[in-house]
């Protein structure tokens, strides 16, 4: 396939570029700046995807089979909420519309944050556990709202152009040997801990790569959303017990066993044949070389 990957020098984006290039695909990697190094099977372009002209040229001129859209501001706190919302929505609008005009299917990173809990002023309990893709979406922040709008734009693009778009909703992405989540776990005391809006969920970047790969090889009709989370929490404690202690209650409907993630990945397992392969227990201290083109 010929692929355009946006956010090509970012955390997950660089790993995805490296993987699809290693599979022999012809890749165009787009980001605000080109990386210092090169990669076989990859052409790197610098472009600002909030600018319609640059976004459309970067995609339409390539006539790709698919677009993997990971560019954007990845969380609250890096800039203002307004800038986060506008950047993510504008880039998604331009990328989706360009993909639709050239007939390219899309897989992009939405987020668990669209449910509203992660960046809420006061993180709240979900309606039920485990959380699935049908859970109500109630974001209070610019980032979560940008992903909610992004998925509406995805649905709009599907209706207008007849392409397929998969919205991947990952949890906190971790990198082998650099599991920041475990620093949080080391300091965790359930009696004094702050509420976690993602309920201590996470996902290894390699599992993000594998779910994107699964989507690229799947036959998806229309717009579909899929969770991407590790099977367990990163605390090494029973999930329901941790939630009940920290939040003071559990949803009336709670069907969590042991350290099971608060987010269900059953839909991805059933429809894509995808399951997370990595857990913090083996990945926390694992040595894995990242994408070499980032280092020059």
């Amino acid at each position: 396939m010929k692929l355009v990957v946006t956010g090509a020098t970012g955390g997950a984006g660089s790993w995805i570029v490296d993987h699809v290039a290693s599979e022999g695909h012809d890749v165009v990697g787009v980001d605000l700046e080109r990386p210092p190094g090169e990669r076989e099977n990859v052409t790197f372009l610098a472009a600002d995807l909030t600018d319609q002209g640059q976004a459309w040229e970067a995609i339409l001129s390539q006539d790709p089979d698919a677009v993997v859209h990971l560019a954007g501001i990845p969380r609250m706190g890096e800039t203002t909420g307004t800038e986060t919302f506008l950047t993510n929505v504008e880039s998604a609008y331009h990328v989706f519309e360009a993909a639709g005009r050239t007939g390219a299917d899309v897989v992009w990173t939405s987020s668990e944050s669209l449910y509203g809990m992660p960046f809420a002023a006061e993180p709240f309990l979900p309606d039920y556990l485990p959380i699935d893709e049908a859970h109500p979406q109630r974001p209070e922040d610019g980032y979560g709202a940008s992903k909610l709008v992004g998925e509406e734009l995805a649905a709009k693009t599907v209706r207008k152009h007849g392409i397929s778009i998969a919205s991947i909703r990952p949890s906190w992405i971790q990198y082998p040997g650099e599991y920041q989540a475990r620093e949080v776990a080391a300091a965790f005391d359930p009696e004094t801990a702050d509420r976690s809006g993602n309920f201590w969920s996470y996902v290894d970047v390699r599992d993000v790569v594998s779910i994107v790969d699964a989507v690229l090889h799947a036959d998806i009709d229309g717009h579909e959303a899929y969770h991407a989370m590790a099977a367990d929490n990163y605390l090494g404690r029973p999930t329901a017990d941790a939630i009940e202690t920290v939040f003071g209650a559990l949803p009336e409907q709670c069907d969590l066993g042991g350290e099971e993630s608060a987010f269900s990945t059953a839909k991805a397992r059933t429809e894509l044949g995808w399951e997370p392969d990595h857990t913090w227990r083996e990945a926390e201290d694992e040595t894995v070389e990242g994408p070499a083109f980032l280092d020059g």
Side-chain angles (χ1 to χ4, degrees):
M1 288 188 285
K2 184 165 189 179
L3 305 174
V4 171
V5 181
T6 74
T9 65
S14 60
W15 283 73
I16 289 170
V17 166
D18 206 44
H19 172 75
V20 293
S22 72
E23 294 285 298
H25 299 297
D26 183 7
V27 184
V28 177
V30 182
D31 215 318
L32 287 171
E33 296 182 358
R34 299 179 75 254
E38 301 294 333
R39 175 66 163 90
E40 186 179 3
N41 296 336
V42 184
T43 300
F44 290 102
L45 294 177
D48 181 354
L49 299 176
T50 65
D51 179 89
Q52 183 192 48
Q54 294 185 55
W56 280 28
E57 182 176 348
I59 294 170
L60 292 173
S61 64
Q62 303 302 324
D63 192 23
D65 299 299
V67 175
V68 182
H69 177 50
L70 300 106
I73 298 173
R75 66 185 65 85
M76 286 295 291
E78 294 201 356
T79 183
T80 64
T82 300
E83 185 66 18
T84 299
F85 178 82
L86 293 175
T87 297
N88 291 350
V89 170
E90 287 177 344
S91 60
Y93 185 90
H94 296 151
V95 168
F96 294 169
E97 181 64 20
R101 286 171 181 259
T102 196
D105 293 331
V106 178
V107 52
W108 78 294
T109 43
S110 180
S111 173
E112 62 181 9
S113 297
L114 55 67
Y115 298 114
M117 290 83 78
F119 294 114
E122 183 66 23
F124 50 89
L125 285 171
D127 290 6
Y128 52 82
L129 288 166
I131 302 161
D132 60 18
E133 290 85 350
H135 190 280
Q137 300 160 4
R138 309 182 182 105
E140 300 176 2
D141 61 282
Y143 178 71
S146 77
K147 296 303 183 178
L148 177 59
V149 173
E151 292 202 14
E152 288 297 320
L153 293 175
K156 181 272 293 181
T157 305
V158 167
R159 289 192 297 270
K160 180 178 180 182
H161 294 290
I163 63 172
S164 70
I165 301 184
S167 297
I168 305 302
R169 299 175 184 171
S171 194
W172 186 11
I173 299 176
Q174 305 294 302
Y175 299 85
E178 302 176 16
Y179 263 51
Q180 296 180 15
R182 289 298 295 161
E183 298 176 11
V184 177
F188 181 80
D189 180 345
E191 300 299 330
T192 60
D194 292 332
R195 293 182 174 187
S196 167
N198 77 346
F199 313 105
W200 305 282
S201 66
Y202 72 101
V203 63
D204 191 286
V205 68
R206 292 166 292 181
D207 287 326
V208 176
V209 171
S210 69
I211 196 171
V212 169
D213 192 60
V215 168
L216 289 173
H217 291 89
D219 184 15
I220 294 174
D221 183 20
H223 172 237
E224 294 290 345
Y226 298 100
H227 282 166
M229 288 84 178
D232 57 354
N233 68 56
Y234 62 75
L235 294 177
R237 298 167 177 262
T239 307
D241 289 354
I243 293 173
E244 184 172 26
T245 301
V246 174
F247 283 78
L250 285 170
E252 183 175 341
Q253 181 181 338
C254 179
D255 185 20
L256 291 177
E259 297 172 19
E260 177 185 355
S261 173
F263 292 86
S264 169
T265 57
K267 182 180 179 182
R269 183 171 61 252
T270 300
E271 297 186 8
L272 301 176
W274 175 86
E275 291 192 46
D277 288 330
H278 301 281
T279 173
W280 63 266
R281 285 181 166 83
E282 45 92 10
E284 179 181 11
D285 300 318
E286 195 172 1
T287 300
V288 178
E289 293 294 330
F293 62 79
L294 294 180
D295 301 323

